[in-house]
């Protein structure tokens, strides 16, 4: 029988620079009260100098390798999830592989926004179980701060996002009863324009124009219909969590820990109530980091592993919803 895949080690990295809601209120018309009430976010991290998503990813990946007791020489697959690659192309995964001193291993990016880490995890799992790799590095990393409209015009989006990275080393589970039980991936491009970044687009010549930066609705910054996204999120999250539980014959009462993507604390509270998950079963850290997109689940899982909330034998569900729309889940017997 093919061994289950498991996470053998994790790491995460965020910039030192803390940006509070009050800091943002100095450059745009917003307030600590508005942001906390609507999103649960108190602060996020922004880089201050030249630093790409792979620079944070490298720190997270090295921690994950240490935690797994492995070195980069043991890794034969690298998947990097990001919507904010260091450069447009080549893939940031190849840049990260070079920074880590990897050999000529396969390395590719997954660009699937808030579901990116789970899409990357599912891809690596399939390749490992097919015998195409033994140990994979799966990294999610984002630098949002350099791409946000940090003025009143962009405040609905700008207050939400933060920079960060998280990493996991995947390999065969040491125990056949433990590891990744299933993954579930979904997408529906009908809703792409509800949360998107249009510039720089290959369909326009040149790909970015000066006027793209100005105007009331500039295509050079991410744009979101927040309420619309919120409504879909609170439907899709419970759906995809149930899908993961049912695939292995479990119910919501069997679930020990839920690690949802960190987009909005109110969304996660709604999901916890819908699933009747008791106090302490849902891991949230959005108050400290905001939405770090492809990194958010990896950072939250890493913190929960380190502080013992995710421990051997627990039934752990990871779940995501985001731009695309895309949504996904993964279920582990830890
Ligand atoms: N500070 C102060 N006021 C703000 C603001 C900010 N940062 N952002 C928006 N506002 C204002 C709006 O201009 C609007 O003012 P108006 O009533 O005078 O027009 C008012 O607040 C309400 O805006 P609205 O967008 O309807 O707020 P909301 O209650 O829907 O909350 C979000 C906005 C973004 C917090 C919420 O919609 C949300 O979290 N949606 C889901 C987003 C998400 O999950 N995104 C990522 C998916 S991966």
């Amino acid at each position: 029988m093919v061994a289950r895949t498991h996470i053998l080690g994790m790491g995460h990295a965020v910039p030192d620079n803390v940006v509070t809601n009050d800091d943002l209120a100095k450059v745009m018309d917003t307030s600590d009260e508005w942001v906390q009430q609507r999103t649960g976010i108190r602060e996020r991290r922004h880089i201050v100098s030249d630093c790409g998503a792979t620079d944070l990813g490298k720190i997270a990946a090295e921690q994950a390798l240490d935690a797994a007791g492995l070195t980069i020489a043991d890794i034969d697959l690298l998947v990097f999830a990001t919507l904010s690659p260091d450069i447009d192309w080549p893939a940031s995964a190849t840049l990260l592989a070079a920074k880590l001193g990897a050999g000529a291993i396969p390395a590719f990016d997954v660009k699937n926004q808030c579901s990116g880490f789970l899409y990357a995890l599912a891809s690596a799992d399939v390749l490992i179980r097919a015998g195409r790799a033994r140990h994979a590095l799966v990294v999610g990393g984002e630098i949002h701060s350099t791409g946000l409209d940090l003025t009143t015009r962009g405040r609905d989006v700008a207050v939400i996002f933060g920079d960060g990275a998280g990493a996991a080393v995947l390999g065969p589970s040491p125990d056949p009863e433990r590891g990744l039980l299933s993954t579930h991936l979904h997408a529906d491009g009908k809703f792409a324009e509800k949360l998107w970044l249009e510039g720089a687009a290959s369909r326009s010549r040149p790909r970015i124009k000066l006027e793209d930066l100005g105007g009331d609705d500039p295509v050079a910054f991410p744009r979101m219909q927040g309420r619309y996204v919120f409504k879909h999120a609170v439907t899709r999250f419970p759906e995809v969590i149930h899908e993961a539980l049912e695939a292995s014959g479990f119910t919501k009462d069997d679930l020990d820990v839920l690690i949802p993507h960190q987009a909005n604390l109110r969304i996660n509270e709604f999901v916890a109530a819908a699933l009747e998950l008791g106090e302490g079963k849902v891991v949230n850290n959005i108050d400290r980091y905001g939405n770090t997109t492809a990194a958010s689940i990896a950072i939250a899982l890493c913190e929960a592993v380190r502080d013992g909330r995710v421990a051997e034998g627990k039934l752990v569900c990871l779940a995501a919803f985001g731009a695309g729309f895309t949504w996904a889940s993964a279920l582990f017997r830890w």
Side-chain angles (χ1 to χ4, degrees):
M1 205 181 90
V2 180
R4 281 200 178 113
T5 306
H6 205 1
I7 290 180
L8 309 178
M10 295 210 65
H12 70 89
V14 291
D16 293 334
N17 179 38
V18 175
V19 177
T20 64
N21 296 334
D22 285 333
D23 292 330
L24 291 180
K26 289 177 196 148
V27 294
M28 63 181 74
D29 182 12
T30 190
S31 68
D32 181 48
E33 192 195 357
W34 193 97
V35 179
Q36 285 214 44
Q37 217 171 60
R38 306 280 173 126
T39 70
I41 299 168
R42 285 191 288 118
E43 58 192 39
R44 74 288 290 141
R45 305 295 179 97
H46 285 181
I47 57 160
V48 285
S49 56
D50 257 15
C51 171
T54 63
D55 296 308
L56 294 181
K58 177 173 185 276
I59 301 169
E62 285 171 343
Q63 287 176 17
L65 286 167
D66 276 352
L70 298 173
T71 71
I72 190 64
D74 299 306
I75 297 297
D76 42 23
L77 169 67
L78 195 158
V79 191
F80 190 63
T82 189
L83 62 65
S84 51
D86 290 17
I87 53 175
D88 201 26
W89 52 273
S92 288
T94 62
L95 308 180
L96 179 57
K99 283 178 184 168
L100 289 166
I105 60 171
F108 61 90
D109 281 6
V110 165
K111 202 173 190 194
N112 250 6
Q113 306 71 249
C114 304
S115 307
F117 185 75
L118 296 190
Y119 269 75
L121 183 80
S123 309
D125 170 47
V126 168
L127 288 167
I128 289 170
R129 284 188 296 108
R132 300 293 298 272
R134 182 161 176 83
H135 292 119
L137 248 179
V138 174
V139 184
E142 306 286 4
I143 301 295
H144 278 299
S145 57
T146 51
L148 297 171
D149 180 3
L150 290 164
T151 70
T152 298
R153 187 182 59 183
R155 64 184 178 174
D156 58 332
V157 174
V159 299
I160 292 175
F161 291 108
D163 303 339
V169 172
L170 268 59
S173 175
D175 177 342
E177 300 299 316
R178 295 168 51 216
L180 183 52
L181 305 180
S182 66
T183 55
H184 307 269
L185 309 177
H186 299 279
D188 191 344
K190 273 202 304 289
F191 304 107
E193 81 281 6
K194 303 297 178 189
L195 175 53
W196 69 351
L197 173 56
E198 278 185 277
S202 61
R203 66 187 179 188
S204 73
R205 188 189 305 264
R207 292 187 178 188
I208 196 141
K209 308 178 188 67
L210 252 188
E211 59 266 29
D212 289 346
L213 295 166
D216 287 338
D217 212 6
V219 301
F221 297 111
R223 287 175 299 159
M224 175 172 74
Q225 291 178 33
R227 291 201 171 195
Y228 201 94
V229 178
F230 194 105
K231 276 189 200 155
H232 278 253
V234 295
T235 310
R236 294 305 192 186
F237 266 117
E239 247 176 49
V240 82
I241 294 165
H242 278 303
E243 186 182 357
L245 290 167
E246 280 162 19
S248 293
F250 294 113
T251 72
K252 61 186 172 52
D253 301 326
D254 298 310
L255 192 59
D256 295 308
V257 186
L258 172 66
I259 311 226
H261 166 56
Q262 306 289 304
N264 184 323
L265 185 62
R266 306 301 158 230
I267 293 176
N268 294 355
E269 286 169 346
F270 190 97
V271 173
L275 294 171
E276 297 172 309
L277 295 178
E279 187 75 14
K281 282 195 175 182
V282 184
V283 174
N284 285 308
N285 61 13
I286 189 168
D287 58 321
R288 288 176 286 132
Y289 304 131
N291 179 348
T292 57
T293 309
S296 94
I297 290 177
I299 296 174
L301 179 59
C302 182
E303 289 191 336
V305 167
R306 286 182 183 170
D307 67 23
R309 276 177 293 172
V310 167
E312 192 168 325
K314 301 246 183 189
L315 191 65
V316 180
C317 187
L318 317 181
F321 175 84
F325 292 147
T326 60
W327 60 105
S329 60
L331 191 69
F332 283 88
R333 175 64 73 188
W334 206 264

